[in-house]
Amino acid sequence: MATLAGRWIPPEIWSALPTPCLFFRLTGQPCPFCGMSRAFFSAGAGDWVTALGWSPLGALLYPAVVALMLLGTARAFEKSPKPMRISGAVWIAIGAAVAANWIYLLGWGWR
């Protein structure tokens, strides 16, 4: 939803969404994905600096998610699409990106 909604929903509405997730409420620390929705909203509105501030991983994932949405739409019209496979190296890269994002949020990100 946030992928496209940033274009049409004014920032003063989505920036007022409740911030703390359950992890944050229990620990007082951001989770690895805190700020991701706001980063998607910001990127969707074209405000990349704010998106990077909310969640660097979210800002980097936004174009990938849009590309995957377009690819999925195109594949829906194929006669017999082959399933997409994700290699082990890609999963390791995803884990490293999530860990780096969490380190950023814990050290320099929003509170």
Side-chain angles (χ1 to χ4, degrees):
M1 177 186 126
T3 306
L4 300 174
R7 284 273 176 224
W8 297 285
I9 299 174
E12 47 279 352
I13 292 177
W14 52 261
S15 62
L17 293 172
T19 304
C21 63
L22 180 61
F23 185 88
F24 187 88
R25 282 185 267 162
L26 291 174
T27 66
Q29 300 294 323
C31 74
F33 305 102
C34 276
M36 192 82 68
S37 294
R38 284 177 175 75
F40 267 59
F41 276 118
S42 297
D47 187 358
W48 291 95
V49 173
T50 302
L52 283 167
W54 277 113
S55 171
L57 180 60
L60 294 173
L61 281 179
Y62 181 83
V65 169
V66 171
L68 285 173
M69 287 171 47
L70 295 172
L71 177 64
T73 302
R75 289 176 57 94
F77 294 103
E78 291 180 7
K79 215 165 198 162
S80 57
K82 294 180 182 171
M84 293 174 49
R85 304 264 185 230
I86 299 176
S87 71
V90 172
W91 284 115
I92 291 170
I94 290 170
V98 169
N101 191 65
W102 198 13
I103 290 168
Y104 164 78
L105 291 173
L106 290 171
W108 300 280
W110 60 277
R111 297 244 179 225

